[in-house]
Amino acid sequence: MDHYSVQIHCHLCGKSFQNRSGLTQHRNSTHAQPPTGPAARDHEDPVDPLQVQHADNGDNAFPNEMPARRVEDRQGEPAAAPVRWTRRLHPALNALPCTRDGSKFLELGAPPPPRDKPTKGDWAPFGSRLQFEVAEFLYKKNQMSQRDINTLMDLWAASLVEYGGQPPFANSANLLDTIDAIALGDAPWSKIELSYQGPQPEGDVPSWMTETYVIWKRDTRTVVHSLIDCEDYNGDGEFNLVPYQEVNGQGGRRLTNVLSGNWAWRQADRIAEDPTTHGSMFVPIIVGSDKTTVSVATGQNEYYPLYVSIGNVSNSVRRAHRNAVRIVAFLAIAKCEKKDKNSTAFRTFKRQLYHASVSIVLGPLRPAMSTPEVVRCPDGHFRRTIYQVGPNLMDYPEQALAACIVEGWCPVCPGHCHHLDDGFTQGRRSQELTEELVRRLDAKQLWEEYGIVANVIPYTNDFPRADIHEILSGDLLHQLIKPFKDHGVDWTIEYLKIEYGEARAAEILDEIDRRIAAMPPFVGLRHFHQGRNFKQWTGDDSRALMKIWLAAIKGLVPREIVCMTREYLEFAYRIRHPIQTDTKLDECEAHLAQYHHHREFLRHAGVRPEGFSIPRQHSHGHMPRHTWNFGALYGLCTSLTESKHIKAVKEPWRRSNRYRALGQMLTTNQRLDKLAAARVDFAARGMLEGTCLPAGPGAADDAQNNVNRADGRVAGADDDDDDEGVVEGPPVEAFVVLARQRAKGYPKLLGDLSAHISRPEFTTCIGHFLAQQLHEDPEDEDVLATYTLPNLRLSVYPSAVATFYAPADPSGPGGMRRERIRATPSWRSEGARYDCAYIVKDSAQEGFRGLDAVRIRLLFSFKFNGILYPCALVEWFEPIGDEPDEETGMWMVEPELDADARRPCQVVHLDSIFRAAHLLPVYGEDPLPIGFRAQDSLDAFRAYLVSKYVDYHAHEHVF
């Protein structure tokens, strides 16, 4: 394979550079800074600023996502002009700023009225910043027990006696009283009692008929106001004021947040039929409910939380867990004796209890669903606001309960439960149609022929314009990710048993398990030490298996099953993308159709002879329509509420004394909300900048850490156990930096280091690298001799950190995330770890055609002529063929070998590395030996699959 100096190009003039620092200097000196904000549109034709906005260019909506690849084409001609998206705002519900009392709208450009805030430096109810940060650390982060807080304060007080000082708090009671005194974020809990009101039988009355059911709730209106008036959501693109549609010149559509979907626009049209609502702000109320279990070892271990969010908050903010999903109630769970569990009366009461409870909790919002009320927004302006019950985040059993349909039927369309896989031509359910059927048919007909539970009234009937069948959104976690294991994997196992018998199937499954256990490690990838043999699967387990299952089954199951799995993965990864277009949704439907085609193999093989009439399989066909309605579904996944369970339910339960725990859990949630609101307020007043710690020996390091935070790096990113994480702040240009801590045990001089790592050619590689960097001929022996420097001093590092824009993966509100790339001879006492990475090869090519895969053998830096060079010593992989593998859809590569069957190496600048790569072994036909280690996988095989399923960012860029 011919190697080269990696080139980085200027997208404005096409000039090439050896590293990114040279490109940056060129841009600053040669090209004027392009205008941003309103000035960037001065050249456009005049438009009504309330009607049209220009969105970011390109499907990715991020101009610096991969700058080294978005440049000129191969012939040096300018790249095709990016697609220009125009944002059209709703003309009536256009969120005009108004006066505090809502009596009139403000003139365009008028500043918001000042907030009534304490002066900067007023930490009330805390006495100082130290008091606040100690309270937040002990109560929220460390979750220290009251007894331990008392001990800590006593020790703190003892340490200050000789100085006449006092600790921040006298004891735990003082700390809790101070938190309770925070006025912000205060939404007290109250209870509502409900009971059965129907006829009772003569004689023994079932216990559930006499039970009192308690609902603990907050004032939902207060909670929603705090969501709308949260200054923390005032970043660029974090809060949408107006329903909008993004279109391009070819008539294409782009869908992102809730307000970009057709549902929000339709609702705004309906609301605007009343002229008194014009100029208002539309606020969809997102509702999520899901039972959760806090312990399997005690009784009374089940809770039923209800959450709300608002559709104005962007998907990225909601997924970044910036308190944009709030708990508003704990619903009552109806219990009965076993003999009454399946009685019609009890099941009806249980359903109606749910709907009555949700209606009560959302009730405070009902008046402002018809007549707007004035609320302050994150930007400080007051606006007339009108609410609407919006998307419901629920798994399938909850959807069936909310839609009042029989389990096994679809809550969205009226297709028969035995024929759900017959296509999607049945239309859709609606509340209007259901009510008409209820008037005409008896309860038995409704149950058997339409799957309708006739004697339960959905909670949406209590709210204007709300249709429960319309607002049930697709659930990626329970309808797409978990079914991968529950259906795809389990069906494959069942096929093996049918085809080969139990004994031979067990041998094949053991081989699959060994392959899974032998997968090379990767950032954030769960290691299945025993394959897939464990009892309780979670969504995270299923998500992890999706990343490696194809490589594990290739060659052990028929091609049709491999292709079926590939198409399922393609659909799953594409439908979850945070930015959808009409073209992308067409691709999703095409992959889904191919999945259904290959899936028929299992019907004919006897795995599913009765077909695939399964609600969770059927729901896939509705996901494109849900996307058209509500924007990208990744922002409306039940993983949001399930992750909220941890902070709102499970951790507060663990902090309780387990006796009547719910009351203690409510208090904990209220205190956590108060601390979160106080932090937002103090930050908005500029009181949390820097650190509250006094200057000392570590002050310089702290200052450097703050600089790193400012330019997009993450404090603590160099913790050796911290492989990945979200990056706070706005999108920045992708970059890779070496770890802060140097590796130990390496010689300092190049000649000694070359011998230490058994790479005698390392010195020559450095010479080649310097010649290329200084634009000299590295093949000229005289030039090479000039740069052969055995006494050059180097610093070796155990890892590097890549930061890049990946909004579909766990990331910060700006869509940035980071991952660690390791090159170390010892990692977690499990042997060496030398990760793989991508290097930009041809900036004009898309996908893997423009990249190369390498394995990093050493991360180091050195200074030459006053310039610091961060570098990597890499080994190359060569592509096998000109197209991806037909079965798996992934590219195949093989290690490059020289004439002596050794792997040559090369030094590259760290700026040429894009991000980490995950290579999956092509296992071939021979079984893996017992005890084969995952750490040896990258050395043991002749070919590898370049995984595009390791995360969503890889799927977008390594196709």
Side-chain angles (χ1 to χ4, degrees):
M1 179 177 182
D2 294 331
H3 295 309
Y4 39 79
S5 172
V6 176
Q7 298 291 304
I8 300 175
H9 301 264
C10 174
H11 72 283
L12 297 173
C13 66
K15 188 175 180 180
S16 62
F17 299 88
Q18 301 288 342
N19 55 57
R20 194 157 291 144
S21 60
L23 172 61
T24 302
Q25 294 175 16
H26 165 76
R27 285 177 177 170
N28 293 339
S29 62
T30 306
H31 301 293
Q33 185 69 22
T36 59
R41 298 194 296 270
D42 288 345
H43 67 282
E44 300 292 336
D45 294 332
V47 294
D48 183 349
L50 296 179
Q51 302 300 320
V52 179
Q53 295 178 348
H54 290 293
D56 294 321
N57 291 336
D59 286 354
N60 291 319
F62 181 64
N64 295 320
E65 180 171 1
M66 192 176 173
R69 294 175 58 201
R70 287 220 307 261
V71 292
E72 61 191 33
D73 66 16
R74 279 188 146 165
Q75 288 73 36
E77 296 297 327
V83 177
R84 186 170 185 82
W85 295 94
T86 301
R87 180 173 291 191
R88 303 183 185 281
L89 305 181
H90 195 275
L93 265 65
N94 48 7
L96 300 178
C98 66
T99 56
R100 187 182 297 265
D101 61 2
S103 59
K104 65 177 182 179
F105 295 117
L106 301 181
E107 293 183 3
L108 185 65
R115 293 181 181 270
D116 299 326
K117 282 184 173 293
T119 59
K120 184 174 181 178
D122 184 355
W123 293 92
F126 300 95
S128 64
R129 176 175 180 175
L130 177 64
Q131 260 203 347
F132 167 70
E133 297 216 20
V134 167
E136 186 181 49
F137 174 77
L138 295 179
Y139 191 81
K140 180 179 180 180
K141 297 179 181 177
N142 185 267
Q143 300 180 20
M144 187 176 289
S145 68
Q146 294 184 39
R147 179 181 301 175
D148 288 346
I149 291 174
N150 289 333
T151 301
L152 176 63
M153 292 302 133
D154 288 343
L155 294 171
W156 202 325
S159 71
L160 297 175
V161 167
E162 61 180 302
Y163 305 105
Q166 295 291 328
F169 300 97
N171 49 40
S172 63
N174 180 215
L175 183 148
L176 296 177
D177 288 344
T178 306
I179 295 174
D180 290 338
I182 300 173
L184 299 168
D186 195 12
W189 291 88
S190 61
K191 68 177 182 178
I192 300 290
E193 295 183 346
L194 298 178
S195 60
Y196 174 74
Q197 300 294 318
Q200 297 183 2
E202 296 181 2
D204 292 336
V205 177
S207 59
W208 63 267
M209 288 187 176
T210 58
E211 182 75 26
T212 298
Y213 299 93
V214 177
I215 305 166
W216 284 95
K217 73 177 190 68
R218 288 166 142 169
D219 186 331
T220 310
R221 181 170 173 268
T222 301
V223 174
V224 170
H225 279 199
S226 69
L227 280 166
I228 298 174
D229 187 19
C230 182
E231 294 177 85
D232 193 35
Y233 306 150
N234 197 32
D236 185 27
E238 294 184 351
F239 194 92
N240 297 295
L241 296 168
V242 184
Y244 62 92
Q245 294 180 344
E246 287 185 326
V247 298
N248 60 30
Q250 293 72 44
R253 278 281 302 277
R254 183 166 69 173
L255 300 151
T256 50
N257 302 303
V258 173
L259 291 193
S260 72
N262 292 340
W263 175 83
W265 194 278
R266 290 198 305 267
Q267 294 300 314
D269 282 345
R270 294 177 65 185
I271 293 169
E273 292 173 4
D274 178 1
T276 64
T277 65
H278 291 189
S280 299
M281 179 175 71
F282 176 57
V283 177
I285 307 300
I286 299 171
V287 181
S289 62
D290 184 24
K291 290 191 185 78
T292 185
T293 302
V294 293
S295 172
V296 296
T298 62
Q300 300 296 323
N301 58 4
E302 197 173 36
Y303 292 94
Y304 206 162
L306 184 75
Y307 302 96
V308 298
S309 183
I310 56 175
N312 309 75
V313 173
S314 70
N315 288 344
S316 60
V317 169
R318 194 177 302 111
R319 291 198 63 86
H321 305 299
R322 283 170 52 190
N323 208 26
V325 178
R326 309 275 178 92
I327 187 167
V328 291
F330 281 89
L331 307 180
I333 300 175
K335 301 289 186 180
C336 69
E337 298 176 3
K338 289 183 179 179
K339 62 186 178 69
D340 299 320
K341 183 177 181 180
N342 293 320
S343 67
T344 301
F346 175 71
R347 289 189 298 176
T348 300
F349 171 74
K350 186 167 65 171
R351 291 187 179 103
Q352 197 59 64
L353 176 64
Y354 168 83
H355 287 281
S357 301
V358 176
S359 179
I360 290 170
V361 174
L362 298 181
L365 299 172
R366 187 181 298 109
M369 291 182 181
S370 301
T371 303
E373 66 176 7
V374 178
V375 184
R376 196 164 204 160
C377 297
D379 63 359
H381 276 296
F382 290 92
R383 289 179 174 84
R384 299 171 183 171
T385 302
I386 192 158
Y387 306 122
Q388 174 68 50
V389 177
N392 277 219
L393 315 185
M394 301 172 176
D395 60 14
Y396 175 73
E398 291 278 318
Q399 288 186 350
L401 172 63
C404 301
I405 61 114
V406 180
E407 285 204 31
W409 292 72
C410 176
V412 176
C413 74
H416 196 279
C417 64
H418 297 314
H419 306 287
L420 290 178
D421 56 345
D422 287 352
F424 300 93
T425 59
Q426 302 96 330
R428 71 173 185 88
R429 292 182 186 267
S430 68
Q431 195 58 41
E432 182 181 9
L433 174 61
T434 298
E435 291 174 357
E436 183 64 25
L437 290 171
V438 169
R439 281 193 292 268
R440 297 189 178 201
L441 304 175
D442 59 41
K444 183 179 180 181
Q445 283 181 290
L446 291 168
W447 182 286
E448 294 178 350
E449 297 179 19
Y450 294 93
I452 295 173
V453 181
N455 49 4
V456 178
I457 302 172
Y459 81 88
T460 47
N461 276 26
D462 296 336
F463 300 94
R465 305 177 301 276
D467 184 336
I468 188 61
H469 304 292
E470 183 183 26
I471 59 179
L472 291 174
S473 68
D475 176 19
L476 298 175
L477 176 62
H478 293 92
Q479 295 177 348
L480 198 62
I481 294 171
K482 287 188 175 181
F484 175 78
K485 186 271 171 187
D486 296 341
H487 296 156
V489 174
D490 288 353
W491 288 344
T492 301
I493 295 171
E494 184 63 25
Y495 166 81
L496 293 173
K497 292 178 180 178
I498 292 173
E499 182 69 16
Y500 300 107
E502 293 283 346
R504 176 56 183 154
E507 293 177 3
I508 297 174
L509 292 173
D510 284 342
E511 176 63 19
I512 290 176
D513 286 338
R514 283 192 290 271
R515 290 183 174 191
I516 290 173
M519 293 294 175
F522 187 79
V523 171
L525 178 64
R526 169 174 181 162
H527 185 205
F528 295 91
H529 295 277
Q530 303 298 325
R532 25 127 235 125
N533 285 325
F534 50 97
K535 294 181 180 179
Q536 188 170 356
W537 280 78
T538 66
D540 288 340
D541 297 327
S542 186
R543 191 180 287 110
L545 195 62
M546 294 171 78
K547 301 175 181 183
I548 58 178
W549 181 248
L550 265 182
I553 64 174
K554 179 179 171 63
L556 296 178
V557 301
R559 176 188 174 89
E560 283 294 323
I561 293 181
V562 176
C563 292
M564 176 195 77
T565 305
R566 181 196 71 214
E567 297 295 344
Y568 188 94
L569 291 173
E570 286 295 328
F571 174 73
Y573 277 67
R574 290 169 187 268
I575 199 65
R576 191 188 181 279
H577 197 268
I579 301 169
Q580 297 288 353
T581 65
D582 50 339
T583 302
K584 288 183 178 179
L585 289 175
D586 289 343
E587 293 172 354
C588 286
E589 297 197 58
H591 286 291
L592 183 61
Q594 284 299 308
Y595 165 67
H596 289 162
H597 169 73
H598 293 296
R599 190 180 63 178
E600 286 298 305
F601 175 82
L602 297 174
R603 186 201 299 262
H604 301 309
V607 177
R608 295 290 304 179
E610 73 282 9
F612 303 92
S613 189
I614 305 170
R616 288 193 293 170
Q617 287 281 313
H618 169 79
S619 67
H620 302 158
H622 291 306
M623 286 185 176
R625 185 167 75 181
H626 291 319
T627 303
W628 279 109
N629 277 333
F630 304 120
L633 296 182
Y634 98 119
L636 295 173
C637 180
T638 55
S639 60
L640 296 169
T641 53
E642 291 213 350
S643 62
K644 191 70 175 178
H645 286 342
I646 298 172
K647 296 295 183 183
V649 183
K650 297 187 178 183
E651 286 185 0
W653 183 84
R654 295 188 194 108
R655 296 169 69 165
S656 73
N657 62 14
R658 313 294 196 271
Y659 177 70
R660 295 184 177 178
L662 183 55
Q664 300 166 61
M665 293 161 61
L666 301 179
T667 302
T668 298
N669 271 296
Q670 190 162 339
R671 287 169 176 162
L672 290 173
D673 279 354
K674 284 174 173 283
L675 283 170
R679 169 161 282 278
V680 171
D681 179 59
F682 294 148
R685 287 190 270 152
M687 297 164 60
L688 291 176
E689 298 171 356
T691 175
C692 69
L693 298 176
D701 291 337
D702 292 334
Q704 182 59 48
N705 288 347
N706 289 334
V707 170
N708 289 338
R709 286 191 196 97
D711 70 5
R713 295 166 174 83
V714 180
D718 294 300
D719 182 350
D720 188 59
D721 293 325
D722 193 9
D723 273 358
E724 62 175 345
V726 304
V727 177
E728 299 295 333
V732 296
E733 188 172 281
F735 60 90
V736 182
V737 295
L738 293 170
R740 293 195 187 102
Q741 304 245 345
R742 293 180 175 89
K744 298 178 181 179
Y746 286 91
K748 300 293 185 183
L749 299 182
L750 174 56
D752 297 336
L753 180 58
S754 179
H756 180 80
I757 64 174
S758 301
R759 292 282 186 171
E761 68 274 30
F762 186 28
T763 304
T764 304
C765 290
I766 292 282
H768 276 275
F769 171 78
L770 284 173
Q772 291 172 344
Q773 291 290 309
L774 300 174
H775 303 286
E776 297 190 47
D777 183 4
E779 304 304 325
D780 187 314
E781 293 185 2
D782 294 334
V783 170
L784 191 58
T786 302
Y787 299 116
T788 301
L789 308 167
N791 292 323
L792 184 70
R793 296 181 64 86
L794 290 85
S795 297
V796 177
Y797 297 84
S799 64
V801 178
T803 303
F804 50 89
Y805 181 72
D809 296 294
S811 57
M816 299 298 294
R817 69 174 274 106
R818 61 176 175 78
E819 65 183 10
R820 187 174 298 279
I821 306 171
R822 296 186 180 274
T824 175
S826 178
W827 183 69
R828 293 184 177 176
S829 302
E830 295 182 350
R833 177 167 169 180
Y834 297 100
D835 288 343
C836 297
Y838 295 115
I839 284 183
V840 180
K841 174 179 63 175
D842 185 345
S843 54
Q845 295 290 326
E846 293 187 340
F848 188 67
R849 288 181 171 84
L851 301 172
D852 261 325
V854 298
R855 192 174 185 193
I856 297 179
R857 286 296 184 176
L858 193 72
L859 291 162
F860 62 96
S861 67
F862 64 91
K863 275 189 176 181
F864 184 76
N865 289 343
I867 298 175
L868 179 66
Y869 292 96
C871 299
L873 181 69
V874 302
E875 298 170 342
W876 300 83
F877 292 89
E878 296 178 308
I880 300 175
D882 297 326
E883 298 290 338
D885 174 52
E886 290 185 0
E887 279 191 339
T888 63
M890 292 183 278
W891 286 87
M892 294 177 65
V893 295
E894 60 185 357
E896 181 193 17
L897 300 176
D898 61 18
D900 298 323
R902 292 191 58 195
R903 300 202 61 179
C905 58
Q906 183 179 0
V907 171
V908 299
H909 198 288
L910 205 64
D911 282 346
S912 66
I913 295 176
F914 177 34
R915 56 156 297 180
H918 194 216
L919 302 188
L920 306 174
V922 177
Y923 289 101
E925 299 179 356
D926 296 332
L928 282 179
I930 303 297
F932 183 86
R933 303 189 317 158
Q935 289 76 14
D936 299 326
S937 288
L938 290 173
D939 296 307
F941 298 92
R942 288 180 290 182
Y944 297 87
L945 294 166
V946 181
S947 176
K948 63 176 177 177
Y949 299 117
V950 72
D951 54 41
Y952 296 93
H953 182 266
H955 186 264
E956 280 291 298
H957 293 282
V958 195
F959 53 88

